[in-house]
Amino acid sequence: MASVRHLISIDDLDDVDLYALVARGAEFSAGTAGRPEPRSGDIVGVYFSKTSTRTRTAFSSGALRLGARIIAYGPGDLQLNTGETSEDTGRVMSGMLDVLVARTAGDPAEMRAWAAQQRMAVINAMCADEHPTQALTDLTTLRRQFGRVEGLRVLYVGEGNNTASALSLALTRFPGVEFELRTPPGYGLDPSYRERAAAQAARYGAVFRERHDMTDLPGGLDVVYTTRWQTTGTSKPDPDWRTVFAPFQVTEALWETSPKAVFMHDLPAHRGDEVTAEVLDGPASIAFEQAENKMHSAMAVLEWCRT
């Protein structure tokens, strides 16, 4: 029987696995990985309780390209809706599936419950707290764009959401990285992620900062990154939240002191909200290459999770 490895958080990866997954995703992206089918005969369940274009397509097409077969579940398909426990769901599915890829807007503890067995690998394709496969996609994209992740200067602008959480845990494990977040007041990174990222940065020789304004921005950036303001499956209690977010729109002005920076976005994008059309559709944008890399990164994760 194959051994399985779960990916619920970036913290589930040791350094060897993190670096290897990024390198492998870059190989798939560059077309230098060959055309292996290491998952031939595997059955991959794809459960998405929330809308998804890129992540669902990436894991579905990635699994098929690796020779696996897929079973897709929508938000109303599982008995979780009628009160079955997460533990029972995971135990039952583990007797029928080799891998479960899941996106929810819930607590990662639910995915940990599904992973309380060693027959079926569980992959977090996004939950309320963290989006680890997005971070792996982003690092794969950086590796393809710059040939490295180490030493890059990255500015993240916008809400401290699940994408920001995963990026904070991932980027701060690469020496020399300078990762700065500018998040609106009241919408910053979760304190537990901030503390873990800061501790990692100190340990790995990276720099990690967070501020809640757009003054005195760093120059000489390699990357400017943003996400949409209205995160999937969430709403904001403050009816005037757009007023708070307005100063954090990414515009061409950010390139005045960082003319060589590339622009990244996890998509979907709302032009005129978190980013202007001139930036998203402009020459600095690699957002759509980044989206394609979701599939390449997904293939790397699907390879890794069963050995």
Side-chain angles (χ1 to χ4, degrees), residues 141-224:
T141 303
L142 295 176
R143 175 75 174 257
R144 288 283 287 132
Q145 179 72 23
F146 297 99
R148 72 189 198 283
V149 178
E150 295 83 357
L152 294 178
R153 304 189 72 206
V154 181
L155 174 68
Y156 175 99
V157 180
E159 186 173 17
N161 57 19
N162 45 25
T163 291
S165 297
L167 273 175
S168 296
L169 294 183
L171 280 172
T172 52
R173 285 166 64 176
F174 287 80
V177 161
E178 294 183 31
F179 184 42
E180 181 157 335
L181 296 95
R182 295 299 182 99
T183 57
Y187 295 93
L189 198 65
D190 181 275
S192 69
Y193 282 91
R194 188 185 308 117
E195 292 167 7
R196 286 146 65 191
Q200 282 187 172
R203 186 162 67 250
Y204 287 85
V207 175
F208 172 79
R209 294 183 291 261
E210 182 180 22
R211 285 179 51 175
H212 304 296
D213 59 64
M214 290 293 283
T215 62
D216 300 321
L217 289 168
L221 297 166
D222 297 299
V223 182
V224 176

Side-chain angles (χ1 to χ4, degrees), residues 245-267:
F245 275 69
F248 295 83
Q249 183 185 71
V250 173
T251 70
E252 289 180 306
L254 288 177
W255 273 259
E256 292 176 1
T257 58
S258 300
K260 296 182 180 180
V262 298
F263 173 71
M264 295 176 65
H265 192 305
D266 59 358
L267 301 180

Side-chain angles (χ1 to χ4, degrees), residues 17-133:
D17 286 336
L18 176 60
Y19 303 155
L21 280 170
V22 173
R24 187 60 171 159
E27 288 177 352
F28 279 120
S29 178
T32 58
R35 300 182 67 86
E37 292 194 355
R39 298 280 72 87
S40 181
D42 279 5
I43 306 296
V44 177
V46 180
Y47 170 54
F48 279 62
S49 69
K50 295 297 177 182
T51 57
S52 174
T53 299
R54 280 148 292 276
T55 306
R56 180 170 179 169
T57 305
F59 274 99
S60 299
S61 60
L64 292 169
R65 288 170 186 265
L66 290 172
R69 289 167 287 176
I70 63 171
I71 300 175
Y73 307 98
D77 290 341
L78 300 183
Q79 296 288 2
L80 288 165
N81 293 323
T82 65
E84 184 170 35
T85 68
S86 297
E87 290 81 1
D88 286 354
T89 298
R91 184 175 180 181
V92 168
M93 296 183 88
S94 71
M96 306 178 192
L97 299 175
D98 300 294
V99 182
L100 176 63
V101 179
R103 163 173 285 192
T104 75
D107 192 312
E110 180 180 38
M111 295 186 185
R112 296 283 180 201
W114 297 335
Q117 42 70 39
Q118 283 302 314
R119 299 175 68 186
M120 173 185 74
V122 177
I123 298 170
N124 176 4
M126 193 188 81
C127 66
D129 291 8
E130 190 179 335
H131 198 346
T133 59

